[in-house]
Amino acid sequence: MSDPTILVLASLVGGDKHGYAIMADVEQFASVRLGPGTLYGAIARLEERGWIEPLRPGERRQPYTITGAGREYLESQLAVLERVVKAGTRRLRNA
Amino acid sequence: MKARIASWLIRLYPAGARRRYGAEIEAVIYDIDARLRWSDLADLLKGALTMPQPVGNWMRAAAILFGTSILCAMAGGYWMARVQAQFVSKALVRFDTGSKVSAINDRLVRALSAAATIELVDKEQIYPGTAGEKAVDLFMRNVRVSPIVTHSGGPAVQMLFVHDDAATAQRALQKVVALALAEPDSGVSAYIDEAPSFPRSRTHRNPDRFFAGAISGCFAGLVLGFAGIRMMRV
């Protein structure tokens, strides 16, 4: 699980955060360290697709929030991931 | 030091992305502080190269690429067209199937030796205004002899001669082939393909130089354009 966009969405679904807080949160819950370049690449893509949006634009430590569309996208991706995890676990047991 | 490198790397981001996220990335670097790693700097560089661009910036970048490639294509085509065209004269020399490769090689080496060619170059005025060893050097640089495989089997060589003048290219190659045939026979019999009585050579103008220059210029322009986009941080 290393798709930075999913990691950022998963972080923001737990509450609004700014860049460094997202990095720290992702490192804590997924043990993945997002570099600043990767983080802002993901933020730019998510913002462009309307899945996250900035709160109080113009701030140096800009907090972001997940949008309704972002939440739907995250749910669909996590559902796919859940199916993969279930199938993989079942096959591992039978192997 | 890492923080300084990081702030320099942020300057490499495309202008639109830098305006939008530059201060935020700097704030993140400030927050990371002592935990900043070299891998973070590599990540910043990767981010600078892959950061999504707003549509307006893409159009500007495309305009720069288009402009530089067209300009360089025109410049390359003009420059190549100005350079004097060269002509390549070709001849195919076949040897009898029983000929030994070493004997063929000896024959060609003797025919193209400095002693044999110096007379030819001076007498035929292959390079007017140039004589002696210098002319022989020029001559040798423009002669190509390469073994080839023929359908009928048996050894054969292709001889090429390049010159600025079509007639001279053809004449010089005919003389070289004649020299090779006139060599004292060492058990090798040779003849020129499709022209038993006299060496036949064909002269071709090199592929159209303008288009060759234009295509090369176009590629060079694309590379320059990319470099310019990065330098101007479009």
Side-chain angles (χ1 to χ4, degrees):
Chain A
M1 184 63 210
S2 58
D3 181 350
T5 54
I6 300 296
L7 291 171
V8 171
L9 285 175
S11 174
L12 289 179
V13 84
D16 304 340
K17 294 177 190 71
H18 57 70
Y20 181 70
I22 296 172
M23 273 179 78
D25 187 40
V26 167
E27 197 167 358
Q28 195 251 321
F29 79 77
S31 303
V32 173
R33 184 183 164 100
L34 291 179
T38 305
L39 174 67
Y40 276 92
I43 286 176
R45 284 182 191 89
L46 290 167
E47 211 185 335
E48 189 185 301
R49 292 168 192 170
W51 292 338
I52 64 171
E53 59 190 16
L55 297 169
R56 302 185 297 278
E59 282 190 18
R60 190 171 157 84
R61 281 185 179 77
Q62 173 70 70
Y64 290 91
T65 189
I66 190 167
T67 62
R71 192 179 287 269
E72 276 175 28
Y73 175 73
L74 181 65
E75 276 172 3
S76 69
Q77 291 301 301
L78 292 182
V80 171
L81 201 63
E82 197 177 348
R83 286 203 298 276
V84 172
V85 170
K86 276 183 184 168
T89 310
R90 194 173 56 245
R91 286 174 189 184
L92 268 175
R93 280 194 197 123
N94 295 339
Chain B
M1 181 191 167
K2 286 182 196 165
R4 198 179 299 168
I5 296 172
S7 61
W8 185 82
L9 286 171
I10 293 168
R11 290 187 210 160
L12 293 179
Y13 274 69
R18 209 172 60 251
R19 271 194 300 274
R20 173 67 186 82
Y21 300 107
E24 285 184 53
I25 299 174
E26 273 180 8
V28 167
I29 300 294
Y30 181 81
D31 288 338
I32 296 174
D33 195 25
R35 294 203 311 134
L36 189 64
R37 301 174 187 170
W38 287 108
S39 60
D40 291 331
L41 300 182
D43 188 73
L44 267 179
L45 179 63
K46 188 181 141 207
L49 298 172
T50 57
M51 192 74 170
Q53 300 230 44
V55 175
N57 285 15
W58 277 117
M59 290 180 75
R60 199 171 154 201
I64 290 172
L65 279 181
F66 183 75
T68 52
S69 56
I70 291 292
L71 277 176
C72 289
M74 285 168 65
Y78 175 72
W79 184 76
M80 286 292 278
R82 282 190 64 197
V83 174
Q84 177 143 21
Q86 288 195 313
F87 295 88
V88 183
S89 194
K90 292 183 185 178
L92 178 70
V93 184
R94 289 171 185 269
F95 296 91
D96 278 351
T97 47
S99 304
K100 288 182 182 170
V101 173
S102 58
I104 294 168
N105 193 44
D106 289 347
R107 174 184 278 237
L108 291 170
V109 167
R110 277 201 303 275
L112 290 169
S113 66
T117 51
I118 194 164
E119 193 186 329
L120 182 152
V121 170
D122 284 345
K123 193 176 164 189
E124 296 293 329
Q125 284 290 293
I126 306 292
Y127 301 105
T130 312
E133 282 183 15
K134 201 176 171 187
V136 172
D137 275 353
L138 265 175
F139 183 83
M140 298 304 264
R141 256 185 270 158
N142 288 303
V143 173
R144 306 270 186 283
V145 180
S146 45
I148 59 166
V149 177
T150 59
H151 291 297
S152 57
V157 291
Q158 186 179 49
M159 299 178 103
L160 303 180
F161 184 68
V162 183
H163 199 277
D164 294 345
D165 176 62
T168 309
Q170 192 160 25
R171 184 162 47 89
L173 188 67
Q174 283 173 351
K175 296 290 177 188
V176 172
V177 175
L179 265 178
L181 295 180
E183 273 295 306
D185 207 332
S186 50
V188 177
S189 56
Y191 59 96
I192 303 298
D193 194 37
E194 298 172 13
S197 59
F198 193 76
R200 178 187 168 195
S201 60
R202 292 177 293 140
T203 308
H204 298 279
R205 200 184 182 108
N206 274 3
D208 197 317
R209 299 178 72 90
F210 176 82
F211 286 107
I215 290 167
S216 311
C218 188
F219 280 111
L222 284 173
V223 172
L224 275 176
F226 274 118
I229 286 166
R230 279 299 154 197
M231 284 176 71
M232 291 186 288
R233 301 165 200 148
V234 174

